[in-house]
Amino acid sequence: AHEVSEVLLYKLDGVKAETIDFDALKAAGLIETRAERAKIVKKGDITRAVKLKGVAVTAGAKAAIEAAGGSVE
């Protein structure tokens, strides 16, 4: 079974990287150790534009990222 680590949207504000991918999330300590994938879930708000790359997002989280001027690839 592939472990998916859920990352709360508001925590992306604390990730230093402009482009946020799985490795950036892991480096920021937001991924559970054995997880192989991550999914961003809408909880709280994001206040800056980030570029999310190769990470799953819920529809609500995607809308919030785009509303803040960011993008999801």
Side-chain angles (χ1 to χ4, degrees):
H2 295 294
E3 293 286 332
V4 177
S5 189
E6 288 197 341
V7 178
L8 305 179
L9 177 69
Y10 74 91
K11 292 193 171 177
L12 294 183
D13 265 352
V15 179
K16 299 281 183 272
E18 282 301 310
T19 299
I20 299 178
D21 57 10
F22 184 79
D23 291 335
L25 293 172
K26 200 157 196 160
L30 299 177
I31 304 287
E32 293 157 33
T33 317
R34 64 185 183 282
E36 295 170 24
R37 290 177 314 177
K39 183 170 196 173
I40 311 299
V41 294
K42 187 171 183 333
K43 172 99 177 169
D45 287 309
I46 186 160
T47 58
R48 66 188 186 98
V50 296
K51 189 173 171 184
L52 202 63
K53 194 167 182 167
V55 179
V57 288
T58 62
K62 182 177 194 283
I65 289 167
E66 290 171 347
S71 65
V72 176
E73 289 181 14

